[in-house]
Amino acid sequence: MVSKEFQLQMQGFGLTTAEIHYRLPDYRDLLQLFIWQEYDIAPDFPTLKHFLDYWEREIEGPLHSVRVAHHCLIQPSEWRAVDGVITLQ
């Protein structure tokens, strides 16, 4: 049985981390930090956009800023030609 995460990676999804700063509902001058991490597709980030739409619709703390990092975990390997031979005896 193959995990859901591996299947997503094989479909082109990469690990996305969002650093979400939001204002506290009762103290608008204070910022709080929330870290969100999920598999998503760059550069459109539909999963993140869906989550942020939910946040704005259902959560009272208004968003201040969102910083996103994305990395594809499965990608073609790097191949490099090497000139020379090392012999071990």
Side-chain angles (χ1 to χ4, degrees):
M1 185 78 183
V2 177
S3 71
K4 175 189 168 196
E5 290 80 12
F6 182 73
Q7 290 176 349
L8 288 173
Q9 291 176 47
M10 293 303 293
Q11 294 171 11
F13 284 70
L15 189 60
T16 302
T17 304
E19 181 181 281
I20 301 169
H21 292 265
Y22 64 97
R23 297 192 183 279
L24 295 176
D26 296 336
Y27 303 97
R28 297 293 172 124
D29 293 338
L30 295 178
L31 288 177
Q32 186 72 23
L33 173 65
F34 180 79
I35 301 296
W36 177 89
Q37 193 171 52
E38 188 63 58
Y39 289 96
D40 209 349
I41 297 178
D44 295 329
F45 301 109
T47 307
L48 176 59
K49 285 180 181 176
H50 179 70
F51 176 75
L52 293 176
D53 288 342
Y54 168 80
W55 183 295
E56 289 182 335
R57 192 176 57 250
E58 302 292 332
I59 298 177
E60 292 182 21
L63 295 173
H64 175 269
S65 60
V66 178
R67 223 166 53 163
V68 178
H70 178 81
H71 183 69
C72 287
L73 301 174
I74 296 179
Q75 52 193 351
S77 62
E78 183 178 316
W79 184 85
R80 184 170 50 143
V82 177
D83 292 332
V85 176
I86 297 175
T87 305
L88 299 175
Q89 302 216 10

